[in-house]
Amino acid sequence: MPEATIDTGHTAWLLVSTALVLLMTPGLALFYGGLNRSKGVLNMMMMSFSTIGLVSVLWLFYGFSASFGSDTAGGLFGDLGQYFGSKTYIDQMWGATADNASGIGIPTYVFMVFQMTFAVITVALISGAISDRAKFGGWLLFAFGWATLVYFPVAHNVWGGGWIAQKLHPLDFAGGTAVHINAGAAALGVALVLGKRVGWPRESMKPHNVPFVALGAGLLWFGWFGFNAGSELTVDGVTGLAFVNTQVATAAAVLGWVIVEWIRDRKPTLVGASSGAVAGLVAITPACGFIDSWAAVLLGLVAGLVCALAVSLKYRFGFDDSLDVVGVHFVGGWIGSLWLGFFANDKLNSAISGALGAKNGLFMGGGVGQLGAQAGASAIVTVYSFAIAFVLAFVIQKTVGFRVSTEAEVEGIDIAEHAESAYDLTPGTGSGGGTGAFAMAGVGTSKAPTPAAEAPASEKVAG
């Protein structure tokens, strides 16, 4: 049998990108954990880490097939048996057919694990909306169901050549629709089912560890270069364009968010700057390989400004999205998706007028067609993800239970669900014989953190 031809340069870049994207989920855990109250930080971080375990296994056995297998059911999802388990990968590796993705010399295994990391973080993003009140077992059931019923079919429709791609021809370079709008809509659905935290919005629920927030945002920013530039799969000019656009859009979004805080609150905050970075990363994700860098700067600035204002919508409409997944990921994803309808440029990426069947944006001489395609695809994903997430969370709540008891929430979900706390606050512990407020990980501790641990450096919760 002829030996498969592997492009070592492309493959090496995708392996590095895969590791970068995987790092984003621990970065998300730090970002969300710092934004959370101290008595629930471990539960918050555990939801991200458990998602790595659960979704990775699901992806190997049937998630990749459902997402990138041949069309079934009219293109609604992929052939579940095409890549089931690992047999097909091994057959392709040593068989007569070239072992590559899209004819560019990348082993199927490498493309599979790269996309696995996308599935992982998409599910993990949802957890920020339900902090401090979700049973860990309920979360795992929800993550299993949502990944299977929503993420895998949506990934097939957007990236795998499914119905949405065939009928609408939307552009989504790295996940504005498939990842951020998808997760943001689901976050709203499950937050509505679980209801408000005890005391929200009357009580102040400030970030307990702002340095964690900044560190998490920094790791997300670092990993996002693999997320965006890696999505080109090859190493070429578009890879460089996506890399540069990711940087400048994120930088502009930091400035946009800080400007809003400075004007509105007279005090720019580190939490705000960190949240602005995430908003910029979200918005540039679908557009990074399709727009000029000057348009990326404008996109980042708009995303920072709008998302900084959008996080207050939960107070106006009365839904408790704990860490602003809706305000940042859902709103930012929509901004980035629609931006392509205005600024997509086929001179930068021939895929726009080539295999994807897409068109230039309105301001680049392409008319309103692409704007309609972006809006239509985003709306379909929004409605589908929200509906399935709402129903799934409702069924879990009414059967095995999804929300913890009031007593467990007040005492601290870390103690109730995991029998451990992030900070040992026993008098006399820690360096210098002080309160030990930053002595980490008291496994088996039966004492909940006291309010002394809740000393944030910012007045604003956003992320």
Side-chain angles (χ1 to χ4, degrees):
M1 293 183 181
E3 187 173 335
T5 301
I6 303 299
D7 188 301
T8 56
H10 297 336
T11 301
W13 167 239
L14 202 59
L15 286 169
V16 171
S17 296
T18 299
L20 288 171
V21 180
L22 179 61
L23 181 65
M24 290 169 63
T25 301
L28 181 73
L30 280 169
F31 183 70
Y32 278 174
L35 288 170
N36 211 66
R37 291 181 291 178
S38 60
K39 63 183 179 180
V41 57
L42 296 185
N43 177 261
M44 186 75 264
M45 298 179 77
M46 184 65 170
M47 286 196 276
S48 288
F49 275 89
S50 65
T51 301
I52 299 176
L54 175 64
V55 177
S56 295
V57 174
L58 298 181
W59 188 258
L60 175 70
F61 280 100
Y62 65 87
F64 183 58
S65 287
S67 301
F68 291 95
S70 301
D71 279 351
T72 58
L76 296 180
F77 51 87
D79 182 357
L80 292 177
Q82 185 169 349
Y83 298 105
F84 185 83
S86 60
K87 181 179 182 299
T88 303
Y89 305 130
I90 296 173
D91 288 346
Q92 289 185 355
M93 189 173 296
W94 303 110
T97 58
D99 173 37
N100 62 76
S102 305
I104 53 178
I106 296 172
T108 305
Y109 254 143
V110 177
F111 179 69
M112 181 274 293
V113 75
F114 177 65
Q115 288 295 332
M116 176 192 290
T117 59
F118 279 65
V120 166
I121 195 167
T122 304
V123 178
L125 287 172
I126 301 169
S127 64
I130 56 174
S131 70
D132 287 334
R133 61 198 190 277
K135 290 182 178 179
F136 183 64
W139 163 251
L140 290 178
L141 283 174
F142 177 84
F144 168 78
W146 190 84
T148 302
L149 298 175
V150 180
Y151 181 77
F152 301 158
V154 168
H156 181 74
N157 270 267
V158 175
W159 290 325
W163 185 87
I164 291 177
Q166 294 172 24
K167 301 299 182 181
L168 298 180
H169 306 295
L171 293 170
D172 187 355
F173 194 84
T177 305
V179 175
H180 298 291
I181 293 175
N182 202 8
L188 178 60
V190 70
L192 289 175
V193 172
L194 264 63
K196 304 172 184 178
R197 288 167 289 178
V198 175
W200 187 89
R202 299 185 312 275
E203 297 179 11
S204 177
M205 298 182 181
K206 302 174 183 178
H208 92 283
N209 193 320
V210 175
F212 270 19
V213 176
L215 176 59
L219 289 173
L220 285 168
W221 196 333
F222 177 68
W224 223 289
F225 290 111
F227 198 81
N228 284 357
S231 291
E232 175 65 1
L233 303 183
T234 61
V235 180
D236 56 19
V238 176
T239 309
L241 175 70
F243 202 103
V244 171
N245 284 349
T246 299
Q247 175 64 20
V248 297
T250 307
V254 171
L255 299 178
W257 195 298
V258 167
I259 288 170
V260 170
E261 286 192 324
W262 222 325
I263 295 173
R264 182 187 61 196
D265 309 319
R266 307 298 182 188
K267 298 289 183 181
T269 68
L270 182 56
V271 168
S274 301
S275 300
V278 175
L281 291 165
V282 169
I284 193 59
T285 292
C288 59
F290 298 125
I291 63 174
D292 293 278
S293 292
W294 61 264
V297 172
L298 290 177
L299 171 57
L301 186 62
V302 169
L305 292 168
V306 174
C307 289
L309 298 172
V311 295
S312 64
L313 291 176
K314 64 183 181 182
Y315 299 105
R316 179 181 295 273
F317 294 106
F319 62 91
D320 186 8
D321 170 19
S322 307
L323 307 182
D324 297 311
V325 182
V326 176
V328 174
H329 293 275
F330 181 71
V331 174
W334 264 92
I335 292 171
S337 181
L338 293 179
W339 204 259
L340 284 163
F342 294 105
F343 294 102
N345 185 352
D346 64 4
K347 293 181 180 179
L348 302 172
N349 193 330
S350 59
I352 294 179
S353 56
L356 295 180
K359 302 177 179 66
N360 273 346
L362 176 62
F363 297 152
M364 308 306 293
V368 298
Q370 195 58 41
L371 181 61
Q374 298 303 125
S378 299
I380 291 170
V381 172
T382 294
V383 172
Y384 179 71
S385 180
F386 173 84
I388 298 298
F390 186 94
V391 172
L392 186 60
F394 183 82
V395 170
I396 294 172
Q397 174 65 12
K398 295 300 182 182
T399 54
V400 299
F402 202 163
R403 179 161 182 161
V404 298
S405 66
T406 300
E407 293 76 12
E409 185 178 339
V410 171
E411 179 187 3
I413 195 170
D414 286 351
I415 297 296
E417 287 291 302
H418 306 291
E420 61 181 353
S421 60
Y423 306 104
D424 183 0
L425 301 177
T426 305
T429 61
S431 61
T435 61
F438 298 99
M440 297 296 292
V443 178
T445 303
S446 60
K447 181 179 179 181
T450 67
E454 311 234 4
S458 169
E459 294 294 321
K460 301 295 177 185
V461 178

